[in-house]
Amino acid sequence: MAPALQQPTPSETITIDASSESNNVTITGKIYTRVRLATKSDLSHIYQLFYQIHEYHNYTHLYKATESSLANLLFKENPLPLFYGPSVLLLEVSPTPFNEPKNTTNEGFKPVLTTFDLKFPVVEGQVEEFRSKYDHKNDAYIAGYAFFYANYSCFYDKPGFYFESLYFRESYRKLGMGSLLFGTVASIAANNGFVSVEGIIAVWNKKSYDFYINMGVEIFDEFRYGKLHGENLQKYADNKGEIKEANC
């Protein structure tokens, strides 16, 4: 167990190493967070984070996205109503407080501000790569994301959310930020008439599995995840919606 850290004075909160070999920011004591809706200026960060979650699962060979394709997916000129299309929430961190939002932003979602007490120092080792481009606050960094969109079921008379993925860069794991980000998605659903938040939970990842259980997610063991894709999907490409042969 790591020794308890002495609570720093404000002047001790941040240490910057700007040597030629690194440009790191070390945060101790408190870390300030902001959860906000992603904008088009975040494309390069979203692209990198999506790549990293593929890397985490050893699926980089399946990563086909480009910044251009993500722009077309996430930031269409004529988008669906808020939260009905593909939506990304970003969690930013900073060693200094974020300005309190006066109201909802132009994106239609009021950022959520929170402060975490740190039990150990957190090192931001990719300052320039993940510096936020959202506003003029130059000591804010992208820590993680949640990706979700509306889905529909004949079992309900209203849409729910399909929770596609939740990911944090390594420096920001085990700090409680996952609960904040997932909880924000659940709050959006509950406050806007969506009936559920559902998705795939990896049974091999016990920490992730336990996390979702603790967040109140119910696991349905009687169902199995199925996927028609790749060559098997392309077999239907010339059918034009018609089934040539069927055994049902």
Side-chain angles (χ1 to χ4, degrees):
M1 181 177 293
L5 292 174
Q6 191 172 18
Q7 194 72 1
T9 63
S11 62
E12 296 174 324
T13 301
I14 176 172
T15 303
I16 299 179
D17 177 0
S19 68
S20 58
E21 295 182 355
S22 65
N23 185 17
N24 297 340
V25 171
T26 300
I27 306 172
T28 61
K30 292 182 181 296
I31 190 168
Y32 300 88
T33 66
R34 175 172 64 186
V35 177
R36 62 171 177 83
L37 198 61
T39 68
K40 200 168 184 177
S41 66
D42 299 305
L43 264 175
S44 62
H45 292 140
I46 295 171
Y47 175 82
Q48 291 179 76
L49 291 170
F50 281 12
Y51 180 85
Q52 286 189 7
I53 194 171
H54 279 72
E55 195 171 40
Y56 177 81
H57 289 287
N58 295 316
Y59 285 159
T60 53
H61 60 289
L62 299 177
Y63 192 54
K64 307 299 183 184
T66 64
E67 288 191 28
S68 177
S69 67
L70 289 176
N72 186 56
L73 174 70
L74 300 172
F75 306 110
K76 295 180 181 293
E77 292 185 6
N78 298 302
L80 292 170
L82 186 63
F83 302 126
Y84 279 79
S87 304
V88 174
L89 289 182
L90 294 175
L91 190 147
E92 299 170 309
V93 299
S94 176
T96 61
F98 289 91
N99 291 329
E100 187 71 31
K102 295 181 180 180
N103 207 329
T104 56
T105 65
N106 292 335
E107 296 81 48
F109 172 74
K110 185 177 180 179
V112 178
L113 307 186
T114 309
T115 304
F116 288 85
D117 292 318
L118 296 175
K119 297 180 180 179
F120 49 85
V122 171
V123 178
E124 171 53 69
Q126 296 178 286
V127 169
E128 295 307 323
E129 293 90 336
F130 285 97
R131 190 189 303 275
S132 175
K133 302 175 183 178
Y134 181 67
D135 52 22
H136 300 296
K137 185 173 173 56
N138 64 3
D139 64 347
Y141 311 100
I142 307 295
Y145 77 86
F147 180 30
F148 60 98
Y149 46 87
N151 70 347
Y152 301 87
S153 169
C154 62
F155 291 99
Y156 302 108
D157 60 346
K158 294 180 180 179
F161 279 162
Y162 182 81
F163 192 79
E164 202 278 338
S165 54
L166 175 75
Y167 177 79
F168 280 91
R169 295 168 52 219
E170 189 170 1
S171 295
Y172 302 105
R173 297 170 192 166
K174 301 179 182 179
L175 298 176
M177 294 180 183
S179 298
L180 170 61
L181 198 46
F182 182 83
T184 301
V185 175
S187 177
I188 292 171
N191 290 323
N192 289 277
F194 294 89
V195 297
S196 63
V197 179
E198 59 185 84
I200 298 171
I201 297 175
V203 295
W204 57 266
N205 189 335
K206 188 176 187 307
K207 289 183 179 179
S208 175
Y209 187 93
D210 290 344
F211 165 79
Y212 287 111
I213 294 294
N214 291 334
M215 293 298 294
V217 174
E218 184 179 359
I219 307 298
F220 294 93
D221 292 330
E222 63 268 32
F223 294 101
R224 279 298 199 56
Y225 173 64
K227 185 176 183 179
L228 179 65
H229 67 118
E231 293 182 358
N232 287 336
L233 176 62
Q234 291 309 309
K235 292 176 182 178
Y236 296 86
D238 297 328
N239 288 354
K240 298 181 180 179
E242 300 177 0
I243 303 299
K244 295 179 180 179
E245 295 182 7
N247 296 320
C248 61

